[in-house]
Amino acid sequence: MSVFIVPITLPELTELAQSHNPGDLQYAFAEDALPPAFVAARALTQISEGQSEQWCRVFYIVKEPDNMIIGSCGFKSELKQGSVEIGYSISTNYRGQGAATTAIRQLVDDAFSMGAAQVVAEILPDNLASARVVQKLHFKCVGPQLDTENELVDLWVLQRQ
């Protein structure tokens, strides 16, 4: 499947953070494809606190040729000691078709081109589909850890070559 990523604008993030669908999107969107309100709110908060917009950015994952938003991805916070964490989600109707792998490859390439030394993803142990995405991109699982909500996750890491 051919997809590309498009940065979500600050006005769109504001609408998404209020659980509203952005009014003037240039793309149609699949059911459950837009980022959840908490993701948009986190990005807006980080940017308002002075973190770099490029590292707090959220993207639409857009399927070609019909320009349908089928998911979202992005950086979870500013670059810290050369490392940045990513997150992603694909609409239920479009899972298992390679869209997440293609989009995350683009996101990882952007991270490395902006100076990241490593990209990390925290994945719930039972989320095998997400684990397959990062495995295909040569991330290595370095083991379980507790995330910021004290939930056990597997930490996956990809070092810049």
Side-chain angles (χ1 to χ4, degrees):
M1 176 182 298
S2 179
V3 300
F4 59 95
I5 60 175
V6 176
I8 300 176
T9 67
L10 291 178
E12 290 167 349
L13 281 174
T14 300
E15 289 186 60
L16 290 164
Q18 298 168 356
S19 297
H20 299 129
N21 294 337
D24 53 351
L25 278 176
Q26 66 182 40
Y27 306 104
F29 54 90
E31 184 179 342
D32 73 350
L34 297 177
F38 80 90
V39 169
R42 178 183 62 216
L44 289 170
T45 298
Q46 291 169 336
I47 292 165
S48 73
E49 291 172 347
Q51 292 188 40
S52 169
E53 189 174 330
Q54 76 177 5
W55 291 113
C56 302
R57 185 167 285 157
V58 183
F59 298 84
Y60 296 122
I61 300 172
V62 182
K63 179 177 77 72
E64 296 181 299
D66 57 356
N67 288 336
M68 169 80 68
I69 296 170
I70 62 167
S72 64
C73 62
F75 303 117
K76 288 189 167 185
S77 67
E78 227 172 19
L79 190 66
K80 293 179 186 142
Q81 299 174 343
S83 182
V84 67
E85 183 181 353
I86 60 169
Y88 51 94
S89 179
I90 297 290
S91 168
T92 307
N93 295 333
Y94 292 92
R95 292 181 183 163
Q97 301 175 43
T101 303
T102 300
I104 298 310
R105 182 177 294 118
Q106 292 173 34
L107 194 62
V108 165
D109 289 348
D110 285 354
F112 289 151
S113 72
M114 294 186 307
Q118 75 176 13
V119 177
V120 301
E122 293 180 346
I123 299 175
L124 294 170
D126 62 347
N127 190 341
L128 302 179
S130 254
R132 279 194 300 276
V133 168
V134 293
Q135 283 175 316
K136 288 179 198 172
L137 296 171
H138 308 292
F139 280 66
K140 302 294 182 220
C141 185
V142 296
Q145 71 174 28
L146 292 176
D147 68 7
T148 55
E149 287 86 38
N150 284 327
E151 192 166 20
L152 188 64
V153 295
D154 288 329
L155 181 65
W156 291 82
V157 177
L158 180 65
Q159 301 288 336
R160 182 174 55 204
Q161 299 298 320

